[in-house]
Amino acid sequence: MNKDIRLATSFKGHRKRKRLRRFLGDRSDSYLIDLWLTVAMDCPEGVLPGWDQMDIADACGWEGDPEELVSALIESSWLEKDSDGNYIIHDWCEHQGWACNAKSRSEAASKNILLRWVLRETKKENIPDVKKWFKSEYAYQKGHTTNDILSYYESYTNGNTPSPSPLPLPLPSPKDNNADSDESASRSSKKIYTTKSGKKLTGKRLETFNQFWSAFDYKHGKAPAADSWLKIPSLTEAMVKEIIAAAKIEASRRPALIKTEGSPKWAQGWLTERRWEDEAYYEDLKIIPMKKTMVYEVTDGS
């Protein structure tokens, strides 16, 4: 995670800064800097997938109308939208190169640690060809696929690898009995979905989220939406049915909204704002809102 951002000295008298102040008043600088700090931590590449105007207002610490804030940021060229409809910070990677590359630096560091371990182990066991060992012994480790590490290793050695050796090499945490192997296989076959914040969706919570995602039928911002799904307290079977029914209505209304150039609600915001409880959906369904009687309670599986 990023711990700081850069602030150019030219910001002091920048015309865009002055323009934003005309729109938002004397606290405009603090709103902008709070937004930058939040983006550096949560969206280091400067793209805000799944964010709506309220999310931006929360990041800025703005307590007024979110639309007023976002309009001011766009009008003063601090914020814009990409071709997919995501809000993005204008020229973020150009001005915040260190923050923007946080993910790639973390991945490179992880690979370097793994590569050093592999080189040490192959040397200890007198195995000259790391590539051969990977293919025979190494399937998956620390989130990197075999091909991922092989490619990195080849670039590290410029493609100059010695002749292969058939000698096997143990993994860092070897499984020496059948019970452990069966347990490992069971874990690997378990369906898991990782949310934007890194939490795990499994079991019933994952199953019901997939049902909602299919019903909502707007394939944008799935990972943030999964976080919002986890935040629904004491999710019950009755509540899931209620949410899915409302989601299907939302999906059926969306084409007309898009046709009139309206902005469809993303799943994350729709769930966070508990839109399934809006009376408009119950009018279409001709039902009374369900009482949240506990049928089952699921956890995030983490």
Side-chain angles (χ1 to χ4, degrees), residues 4-8 11-12 17 20-21 24 26-41 56 58-61 69 73 78 89 92 96:
D4 54 40
I5 60 173
R6 296 182 61 185
L7 189 61
F11 179 71
K12 182 178 185 297
R17 180 187 184 189
L20 185 64
R21 184 171 294 177
L24 302 180
D26 292 339
R27 290 196 60 198
S28 60
D29 290 349
S30 66
Y31 300 140
L32 186 59
I33 291 173
D34 280 355
L35 175 61
W36 288 341
L37 292 171
T38 304
V39 169
M41 291 186 292
I56 294 172
D58 289 342
C60 291
L69 169 70
L73 290 169
W78 293 113
I89 305 299
W92 174 259
Q96 301 292 341

Side-chain angles (χ1 to χ4, degrees), residues 31-174:
Y31 300 140
L32 186 59
I33 291 173
D34 280 355
L35 175 61
W36 288 341
L37 292 171
T38 304
V39 169
M41 291 186 292
D42 297 344
C43 305
E45 295 178 355
V47 181
L48 319 180
W51 283 39
D52 56 20
Q53 294 179 342
M54 189 172 294
D55 294 319
I56 294 172
D58 289 342
C60 291
W62 170 263
E63 297 180 355
D65 182 1
E67 184 176 357
E68 179 185 350
L69 169 70
V70 172
S71 296
L73 290 169
I74 292 175
E75 184 66 25
S76 53
S77 299
W78 293 113
L79 189 70
E80 56 191 42
K81 277 192 173 184
D82 64 14
S83 57
D84 294 325
N86 297 315
Y87 287 107
I88 61 175
I89 305 299
H90 178 72
D91 287 346
W92 174 259
C93 287
E94 178 181 341
H95 298 291
Q96 301 292 341
W98 180 259
C100 185
N101 292 313
K103 183 178 179 181
S104 59
R105 288 198 311 276
S106 176
E107 290 177 350
S110 179
K111 288 179 181 179
N112 272 319
I113 292 170
L114 183 58
L115 181 60
R116 286 198 298 272
W117 177 82
V118 170
L119 293 174
R120 184 180 69 247
E121 292 298 307
T122 51
K123 182 178 180 180
K124 183 172 67 178
E125 296 292 338
N126 194 27
I127 303 175
D129 190 353
V130 177
K131 185 173 181 179
K132 176 66 177 178
W133 176 78
F134 267 123
K135 287 184 175 179
S136 61
E137 296 291 326
Y138 190 80
Y140 193 83
Q141 187 67 236
K142 297 195 176 190
H144 300 293
T145 65
T146 304
N147 288 337
D148 189 19
I149 302 298
L150 281 175
S151 175
Y152 188 73
Y153 172 74
E154 288 173 354
S155 67
Y156 179 85
T157 59
N158 295 319
N160 297 320
T161 54
S163 300
S165 168
L167 184 65
L169 182 69
L171 289 171
S173 301

Side-chain angles (χ1 to χ4, degrees), residues 202-205 208 229 232 234-235 294 296-301:
T202 61
K204 192 69 174 180
R205 182 75 76 157
T208 54
W229 189 257
I232 301 174
S234 301
L235 189 64
M294 179 62 70
Y296 62 79
E297 184 171 350
V298 289
T299 65
D300 62 11

Side-chain angles (χ1 to χ4, degrees), residues 155-210:
S155 67
Y156 179 85
T157 59
N158 295 319
N160 297 320
T161 54
S163 300
S165 168
L167 184 65
L169 182 69
L171 289 171
S173 301
K175 300 294 183 180
D176 295 324
N177 56 65
N178 292 334
D180 286 343
S181 298
D182 291 343
E183 182 182 350
S184 177
S186 174
R187 284 198 302 268
S188 63
S189 63
K190 186 177 180 180
K191 292 183 178 180
I192 297 174
Y193 182 77
T194 304
T195 71
K196 181 182 176 182
S197 66
K199 295 181 180 179
K200 307 294 183 184
L201 266 178
T202 61
K204 192 69 174 180
R205 182 75 76 157
L206 175 58
E207 178 186 336
T208 54
F209 173 70
N210 286 334

